[in-house]
Amino acid sequence: MQFDAKGTVYVDNNQVGSGLDANLLNHNQVAKSTDGGKIWTGPVSTPLLLGGAPKMRVDSGTGKV
């Protein structure tokens, strides 16, 4: 979990298990909330495959995840 300078919260996780679309299985996913965690975006699949614990960083200068 990371926060940017504007207070947006980002959660990073790995999608594993049956019942997922084949294009999402074993991919890193990111969701965000701009209201302190009350409402979250749907997870967005990244091109990263599972490789241990997910890692994420927010650049404090640019706000890029």
Side-chain angles (χ1 to χ4, degrees), residues 16-40:
V16 296
S18 61
L20 296 172
D21 291 336
N23 63 331
L24 298 179
L25 190 60
N26 295 328
H27 276 262
N28 205 357
Q29 304 273 298
V30 177
K32 73 176 183 177
S33 173
T34 58
D35 61 4
K38 293 177 184 175
I39 299 172
W40 291 87

Side-chain angles (χ1 to χ4, degrees), residues 13-17 25-28 47-54:
N13 62 60
N14 291 323
Q15 296 298 307
V16 296
L25 190 60
N26 295 328
H27 276 262
N28 205 357
L48 304 173
L49 293 173
L50 283 175

Side-chain angles (χ1 to χ4, degrees), residues 1-3 9-15 26-33 40-58 65:
M1 181 180 300
Q2 293 286 318
F3 296 83
V9 184
Y10 298 90
V11 173
D12 185 20
N13 62 60
N14 291 323
Q15 296 298 307
N26 295 328
H27 276 262
N28 205 357
Q29 304 273 298
V30 177
K32 73 176 183 177
S33 173
W40 291 87
T41 64
V44 176
S45 183
T46 71
L48 304 173
L49 293 173
L50 283 175
K55 296 168 184 71
M56 175 175 44
R57 181 173 81 83
V58 177
V65 178

